[in-house]
Amino acid sequence: MTERLNTAQPYALGLFRIVTGLFMACHGAASLLGVLGGAHGGGTVPVGVWPGWYAAVIQLVGGGLVLLGAGTRSAAFIVSGSMAYAYFTAHQPKGLWPLENGGELSAVFCWAFFLLVFTGPGAFALDRLLPARAARRPQTEQQPQAATA
């Protein structure tokens, strides 16, 4: 059973990346474009307002990149940091635990994107289709080469 689960790991990770990126991109789209109910129940975040507008741009662009699997590790790192910032500035002052301060979503997003920094994109990623990126990816099953004199 474990071997079968290990075989499916890249696909499960790819689906996790796609869903997490989609959810984050939806948050950014709601804030910037007013879709899906808009920002905070309606409307959009005014352009240039700190930190809301900048956070929304990071959510939309970073979430979209993670969704597509393009520059996943870098995008996930930036999104994770923005979610940590959101948690510690907007939620943590209201209480110690995320359940007390309403910061569960920020905390979970922060850790989910932080995980993607270390695991990479998994299957179904654009990074795996681009020849330049694929050539730089380490080969896990390289054959040792014979030494020549």
Side-chain angles (χ1 to χ4, degrees):
M1 173 93 169
T2 301
E3 185 62 34
R4 191 170 249 205
L5 290 173
N6 288 342
T7 304
Q9 184 176 356
Y11 304 104
L13 182 58
L15 291 173
F16 174 78
R17 173 187 50 78
I18 289 167
V19 170
T20 306
L22 175 65
F23 289 168
M24 182 56 63
C26 286
H27 275 277
S31 296
L32 290 175
L33 308 173
V35 297
L36 304 169
H40 308 291
T44 60
V45 176
V47 175
V49 171
W50 176 260
W53 185 82
Y54 295 94
V57 170
I58 290 171
Q59 291 168 358
L60 181 60
V61 174
L65 288 171
V66 169
L67 167 68
L68 297 173
T72 302
R73 291 177 192 253
S74 300
F77 183 75
I78 292 168
V79 173
S80 176
S82 75
M83 290 293 98
Y85 179 83
Y87 179 78
F88 285 111
T89 59
H91 299 288
Q92 198 277 327
K94 298 175 188 171
L96 180 61
W97 297 101
L99 191 59
E100 292 177 311
N101 61 33
E104 300 98 332
L105 195 55
S106 295
V108 170
F109 270 136
C110 176
W111 286 106
F113 282 97
F114 194 61
L115 176 67
L116 289 171
V117 171
F118 292 94
T119 61
F124 319 117
L126 284 181
D127 282 345
R128 298 196 180 276
L129 299 176
L130 301 175
R133 295 231 186 221
R136 288 188 296 202
R137 192 173 49 229
Q139 297 295 322
T140 56
E141 298 178 15
Q142 279 186 333
Q143 297 295 327
Q145 297 191 4
T148 57

